Amino acid sequence: MPTRVRLGITRRGWCAGVLLLGLFAALPVQAAKRALLVGVADYPNLPSWLQLAAPANDVEIVEALLRRRGFDDGNIEQLVTVEGKTQPTRANILAALDRLAAQAKDDDFYYLYFTGHGSRQPARATDNTETDGMDEIFLPTDVSGWDRATGTAKNAILDDELAVYIDRIRDRGADVWLVIDSCYSGTMTRGASAIPEVRYRRVGGDVLGIPDVAPGVKITDRDVMADFSTRDTVQGKPRGELIAFSAAQSAQTTPEMKLPRKAVERRFHGLFTYTLMEVMAANPQLSYQQLAQQVLSRYQSLPWLSTQPLFSASDMNKPLFNDDSPVPSSYFASFGNGELQVHAGSLSLLNGGATVAVFDSPIAKTRKRLGRVTLNGATPLRSWATLSDDAARGWPETVYVELEQPVASDNVNVAVLPASSSSAGQQAQLKNWLKMLSGSGSGMTLTEPERADILVSQFDGYLWFLRADQSLPCEEQVLDPSARKHCIDTRLPQRILNIPVPDKAQCSRWPLQECLKQTLKTGLMKIAKVTRMLASVQSLPGADPILRQVFRVERNGEKQPLSVNDRPILKEGDRILFALTNLSAQPQDVSILFVDSQYGVTQLYPDSGQPNRLASGESLHFEWVVNLDTVGMEHLMVSSVPGVGVSQDLAYLQQSPLNVSLRDSMASLSAPLPSAAINLFSWQVSR
């Protein structure tokens, strides 16, 4: 049976999101907000290479955001593997959930957050609700090996058990937002990333001694959500709603790494948690739908395409925390001895180099503007600046700041990734070329591999370009014999873009070394252009819409709409159908760009000489057929700018795919995108 785009239903579990059904009344201002934050980094019964670094940092930034959103300190319970705090053992986690369930009442709001390792195990023979015969499990700090007597990993928490507590909370009328930044994957392995500081939040069943299949397991073809009750009412009263955000799909894993990646003051965070908190901190008045779209948009601008978060709710258009009251835009700060210390940082876009306005009060009607300051540096939760006595004369010890001008950094970081078969001379030459390119105004910066967007390697007569979530072939990795054997046994094939190193015959126009340098430059410039384009998607789709966009996929005569929260897998012959309507009162110049998986850019609309100005209320329809010229993640970028004067389009951004054009360009980087409202639709093409 052909694969179809399925909407509204996803597999449940730690990696697969949750189907969410239910109706609830609007959240009163007086309703209690409670949170349980579980962060597990230390696993005494697991190998050293499975210890994590980020969960305590993740819990810290989540707690800071919840406080800003009205959660009282006494209503935020933390179970974290940090000295002096209650440890996240199985017993402590279940006891905390039990207390929350007992306290729940109508219209309360619960935020449940889990970060740490996940895994899965065979479902019991009597459980016919698992479509693949497996239970997802979360691993508390005291988890240990497989217990044959009970048929479970000792002290693990099953998704079925979590569901019992969440159903109890919802039965009492409270709403639950479940966020899970842990995952299981049977395919990702250690060393799957070219960046050494990346760690994965999954534990394979072999580590815990979990059998692949339990005797008597009954695997059914049912596609239901039995773990979380789907009934709308209990005893005639509406149940609370369930919103579920999870870090990855069931066939993927989720990483932790040092973030923000380009900052000097970096520390380990889960990629999903950090991105989620960053979007919420910078854009407090969002719906769940807008939050999901912004997270996905930011993922597309990262050099990390192997993870796809999942988002579910019965009504994604409700405001975050079901609370549409204004969130303060100013941040508390203290001033003394020439130092301004702001109680907010990079999560709120208060990065080093950003400009903030300083006030003596957070209340708009009574405050006085004291001055303007450029920040010197920032961590995720703190930023600072040094001021002269003259600039800050008469300032009080307590002040408030608002972001005026964020840092606009569109540089693409590049680094050399050594290959075992490349000589020291080749590696030094590559690094020297990247250094020269970095200082030439190209918009690229030479950095260390841990902070790179693109890694460059040279072997087998090719220049290779890797993302952060890719790795070199095992024979080219610098590994000891045992690690190399493990790599050969476990590493999956990867599609790594490359350009053949030109020889003298191909470089008749320039000296060989200059030709090699320009070949490298051409490839990197194409990658940099697309990286910037994807990072430019800063608008919030659905907020004050300019265009109504309907995106559908047709397969075997059946049409299905595409949810903005999905990344469907398309096959050869599928038809993509797109319809646009100008909802604004003024004309709009519309451009549609197709970005393939090999950094090729094609303007689909307008075609050469075709007018692209849509009058108010005017619609545009077009379609095209999926082919296998390129496979992998692809994007459709829709841009609109007010139609004034000569029509504008984005044809200047077009470029051929990286692996097709090798010596065609020595031109400078294209101009940046014009100021525009931009939406991004993405899918994956598979053979």
Side-chain angles (χ1 to χ4, degrees):
M1 182 175 179
T3 302
R4 294 174 56 191
V5 179
R6 301 179 65 249
L7 305 175
I9 299 178
T10 55
R11 272 206 75 249
R12 64 125 173 94
W14 301 108
C15 295
V18 185
L19 171 66
L20 311 165
L21 299 174
L23 301 172
F24 60 94
L27 186 68
V29 176
Q30 298 82 5
K33 295 181 178 180
R34 306 183 190 277
L36 174 64
L37 312 181
V38 178
V40 190
D42 302 329
Y43 290 91
N45 300 321
L46 297 183
S48 59
W49 54 270
L50 281 173
Q51 307 307 306
L52 298 174
N57 298 335
D58 290 344
V59 167
E60 181 183 10
I61 64 175
V62 172
E63 179 195 20
L65 184 132
L66 293 180
R67 287 181 176 180
R68 188 166 176 79
R69 296 306 301 252
F71 285 71
D72 295 332
D73 290 353
N75 286 345
I76 303 176
E77 184 170 1
Q78 299 183 41
L79 303 178
V80 193
T81 48
V82 172
E83 186 175 354
K85 292 196 175 183
T86 305
Q87 295 297 296
T89 62
R90 171 184 166 85
N92 287 341
I93 293 172
L94 296 185
L97 288 168
D98 188 62
R99 287 192 297 272
L100 288 173
Q103 292 174 315
K105 62 182 185 298
D106 279 349
D107 299 325
D108 281 355
F109 189 94
Y110 280 43
Y111 186 89
L112 306 182
Y113 173 73
F114 293 82
T115 176
H117 276 311
S119 190
R120 65 177 181 175
Q121 64 185 34
R124 293 179 174 87
T126 55
D127 185 355
N128 65 353
T129 66
E130 303 291 349
T131 59
D132 61 357
M134 304 294 286
D135 270 321
E136 279 73 33
I137 56 178
F138 180 76
L139 307 187
T141 188
D142 57 342
V143 73
S144 58
W146 181 253
D147 186 336
R148 298 183 66 178
T150 60
T152 186
K154 188 175 181 181
N155 291 327
I157 296 178
L158 278 68
D159 48 4
D160 304 333
E161 294 178 296
L162 178 67
V164 170
Y165 291 100
I166 290 180
D167 279 339
R168 283 177 57 192
I169 294 170
R170 295 175 63 206
D171 284 348
R172 297 172 71 102
D175 308 319
V176 178
W177 187 1
L178 174 65
V179 177
I180 298 173
D181 195 351
S182 64
C183 207
Y184 171 84
S185 171
T187 58
M188 299 296 290
T189 65
R190 284 182 297 160
S193 169
I195 295 180
E197 68 179 21
V198 172
R199 306 179 185 190
Y200 297 103
R201 293 182 170 180
R202 92 289 171 265
V203 173
D206 57 328
V207 175
L208 296 169
I210 297 175
D212 292 333
V213 179
V217 166
K218 181 182 179 182
I219 301 177
T220 76
D221 59 0
R222 296 174 62 193
D223 193 0
V224 297
M225 275 303 307
D227 287 10
F228 295 94
S229 172
T230 58
R231 63 184 184 276
D232 295 336
T233 60
V234 57
Q235 295 181 348
K237 294 176 58 178
R239 303 179 75 226
E241 176 150 356
L242 176 61
I243 306 102
F245 284 20
S246 59
Q249 300 184 48
S250 57
Q252 303 171 343
T253 188
T254 186
E256 62 176 43
M257 60 184 72
K258 286 189 176 179
L259 296 167
R261 298 192 68 245
K262 296 184 180 181
V264 175
E265 300 85 7
R266 299 176 301 141
R267 60 179 187 171
F268 276 101
H269 285 284
L271 176 63
F272 180 63
T273 295
Y274 190 89
T275 306
L276 196 67
M277 295 301 112
E278 183 181 44
V279 173
M280 284 198 284
N283 306 278
Q285 307 299 146
L286 296 177
S287 67
Y288 294 107
Q289 182 67 70
Q290 292 168 336
L291 173 60
Q293 289 174 282
Q294 278 289 288
V295 168
L296 290 175
S297 293
R298 296 199 184 200
Y299 263 61
Q300 299 310 318
S301 66
L302 292 168
W304 193 277
L305 301 182
S306 61
T307 302
Q308 170 65 47
L310 291 177
F311 311 92
S312 291
S314 61
D315 186 353
M316 291 286 286
N317 291 316
K318 289 187 176 293
L320 298 183
F321 304 102
N322 301 333
D323 182 4
D324 56 5
S325 58
V327 177
S329 59
S330 60
Y331 303 94
F332 175 78
S334 56
F335 174 72
N337 299 321
E339 293 285 336
L340 179 69
Q341 296 287 337
V342 184
H343 293 213
S346 57
L347 281 176
S348 303
L349 302 184
L350 300 179
N351 297 289
T355 301
V356 298
V358 183
F359 299 90
D360 63 355
S361 168
I363 302 174
K365 293 182 178 180
T366 62
R367 64 184 177 177
K368 174 185 176 182
R369 180 171 178 150
L370 301 175
R372 181 184 291 109
V373 174
T374 299
L375 299 174
N376 298 126
T379 67
L381 298 177
R382 187 175 67 88
S383 53
W384 57 88
T386 303
L387 291 85
S388 67
D389 292 339
D390 290 339
R393 193 178 303 279
W395 284 17
E397 293 183 357
T398 298
V399 294
Y400 299 85
V401 305
E402 289 186 6
L403 178 65
E404 272 201 349
Q405 184 64 50
V407 178
S409 175
D410 59 357
N411 273 15
V412 176
N413 284 356
V414 296
V416 173
L417 183 63
S420 61
S421 66
S422 63
S423 67
Q426 286 177 319
Q427 294 174 26
Q429 186 179 63
L430 264 182
K431 191 168 185 178
N432 184 54
W433 287 342
L434 291 177
K435 186 176 181 181
M436 293 172 61
L437 190 59
S438 178
S440 65
S442 64
M444 283 175 275
T445 302
L446 178 63
T447 187
E448 66 272 15
E450 289 78 9
R451 298 172 63 189
D453 300 309
I454 297 296
L455 299 114
V456 184
S457 195
Q458 182 177 351
F459 57 91
D460 286 350
Y462 286 85
L463 291 169
W464 301 81
F465 303 95
L466 291 81
R467 301 187 311 265
D469 57 351
Q470 294 181 309
S471 62
L472 293 175
C474 298
E475 61 272 16
E476 292 295 341
Q477 295 187 38
V478 181
L479 302 170
D480 59 48
S482 62
R484 178 160 296 178
K485 182 181 183 305
H486 177 78
C487 178
I488 292 171
D489 290 341
T490 58
R491 182 181 180 276
L492 293 177
Q494 300 176 23
R495 297 180 65 255
I496 302 175
L497 295 176
N498 58 70
I499 295 178
V501 175
D503 56 24
K504 289 183 179 180
Q506 296 169 309
C507 290
S508 57
R509 294 167 55 189
W510 307 291
L512 181 58
Q513 292 302 307
E514 179 66 18
C515 182
L516 287 170
K517 183 173 69 174
Q518 293 299 335
T519 299
L520 173 65
K521 178 180 179 180
T522 297
L524 284 174
M525 297 286 259
K526 290 190 173 188
I527 295 171
K529 180 193 290 185
V530 171
T531 301
R532 290 193 188 94
M533 286 171 57
L534 296 179
S536 71
V537 185
Q538 298 298 326
S539 63
L540 291 175
D544 300 323
I546 296 173
L547 300 177
R548 180 172 63 239
Q549 304 170 70
V550 179
F551 184 40
R552 295 181 298 166
V553 177
E554 180 178 333
R555 176 176 295 170
N556 295 336
E558 292 192 29
K559 299 176 183 178
Q560 292 284 345
L562 175 70
S563 167
V564 294
N565 300 332
D566 286 345
R567 292 293 184 268
I569 296 178
L570 303 185
K571 302 288 186 178
E572 184 176 24
D574 289 348
R575 288 202 310 157
I576 295 176
L577 312 173
F578 209 82
L580 303 173
T581 302
N582 180 10
L583 300 180
S584 70
Q586 60 179 320
Q588 296 289 322
D589 290 346
V590 175
S591 298
I592 302 172
L593 295 179
F594 169 64
V595 183
D596 64 42
S597 62
Q598 295 170 199
Y599 296 94
V601 181
T602 304
Q603 181 167 278
L604 299 178
Y605 179 84
D607 202 354
S608 178
Q610 184 180 14
N612 68 324
R613 182 161 294 173
L614 293 185
S616 177
E618 188 177 1
S619 296
L620 162 70
H621 301 265
F622 70 93
E623 63 183 63
W624 74 99
V625 179
V626 174
N627 60 47
L628 299 182
D629 290 347
T630 61
V631 296
M633 187 64 71
E634 299 182 338
H635 312 279
L636 193 73
M637 180 175 285
V638 182
S639 169
S640 68
V641 296
V644 179
V646 178
S647 294
Q648 303 179 59
D649 63 37
L650 303 181
Y652 65 88
L653 290 173
Q654 295 187 108
Q655 63 186 27
S656 56
L658 184 62
N659 69 336
V660 173
S661 174
L662 303 179
R663 304 189 309 278
D664 66 338
S665 174
M666 293 181 61
S668 61
L669 196 66
S670 295
L673 283 170
S675 176
I678 301 172
N679 283 344
L680 192 70
F681 297 85
S682 302
W683 59 86
Q684 185 166 337
V685 174
S686 178
R687 295 186 186 278

